[in-house]
Every structure is written in C-alpha cells, then in structure tokens.
Amino acid sequence: MDARFFLFRKSLKKPLNFFFKAVSPLDKAISNEKDTVIAFGKKVRLKRKKKKMPMQMLANIAEIELSQIYRIETGKINPKLTTILKIAEALEIDVKELF
C-alpha cells in the first residue's frame, strides 16, 4: 500500500477520538452537583412563591442580600448550611422541605 494511505488514515484517528472522549467520574460529580444546586434553587423559589413572598421580603427576613437570594434561586451558587437554615426559617418551613 501507498505510504500516503497510512498517513491519511492516521490523521483521521485524531478527530474521531475527540468525539468519543470518555467522561471522568469527576466530570460526572460536578454535573450532579450543578443539577442539585439548580434543583435546590427551584425548590426555594417554589416555596417562596407559594407563600406569596417577594424576593426582597425573603432577603430582609432571612438577613441575606437580595442578590444572593437571586443567585440561589437561579442555581448560580451553592449556599452554605447556615444560609439554608436562614431561608427555611424565613419561609417558616422545615429544612427538609427544601430538598
């Protein structure tokens, strides 16, 4: 066979390997964490709206910045346990209801 054939075939393998990249366990864990944070934020928003409480009121009662409440509800940040406890207390619900 011609040497050009082997060079051509070898050059095709690199791009194909890119499409079949294996997902590492760390990538899966990060993805699961993001999904959990987003789900938690949606639950906070749902509970807040169920109580007909504006975001500003929740922020004031929980003594948390309004921007932080927004970032929690949109899943942009992973809140600390103390923040979660403050939110649950402000919403007058058990912490378990947020999970």
Side-chain angles (χ1 to χ4, degrees):
M1 292 197 150
D2 192 350
R4 288 179 292 173
F5 173 77
F6 290 109
L7 290 174
F8 175 74
R9 188 168 176 207
K10 188 175 181 181
S11 70
L12 282 181
K13 286 185 180 179
K14 275 189 178 177
L16 292 177
N17 288 342
F18 173 78
F19 291 112
F20 299 108
K21 181 181 174 190
V23 179
S24 73
L26 180 60
D27 290 339
K28 286 182 184 177
I30 290 169
S31 176
N32 288 341
E33 182 180 342
K34 286 180 184 177
D35 293 342
T36 304
V37 170
I38 291 169
F40 176 79
K42 286 180 180 179
K43 197 71 102 78
V44 170
R45 178 172 280 167
L46 178 76
K47 296 293 183 180
R48 177 181 61 78
K49 289 190 176 220
K50 206 176 217 180
K51 298 239 179 211
K52 297 183 169 125
M53 184 184 290
M55 206 182 288
Q56 182 66 53
M57 186 184 287
L58 175 59
N60 289 341
I61 294 170
E63 298 176 351
I64 300 170
E65 292 290 326
L66 176 62
S67 61
Q68 187 172 2
I69 296 291
Y70 172 78
R71 291 191 313 262
I72 290 169
E73 287 189 359
T74 55
K76 298 202 185 313
I77 61 168
N78 189 356
K80 293 180 181 179
L81 180 58
T82 54
T83 305
I84 294 170
L85 294 172
K86 286 180 181 180
I87 291 171
E89 189 176 326
L91 292 171
E92 298 175 344
I93 59 173
D94 192 9
V95 178
K96 291 185 276 188
E97 292 182 50
L98 295 174
F99 295 95

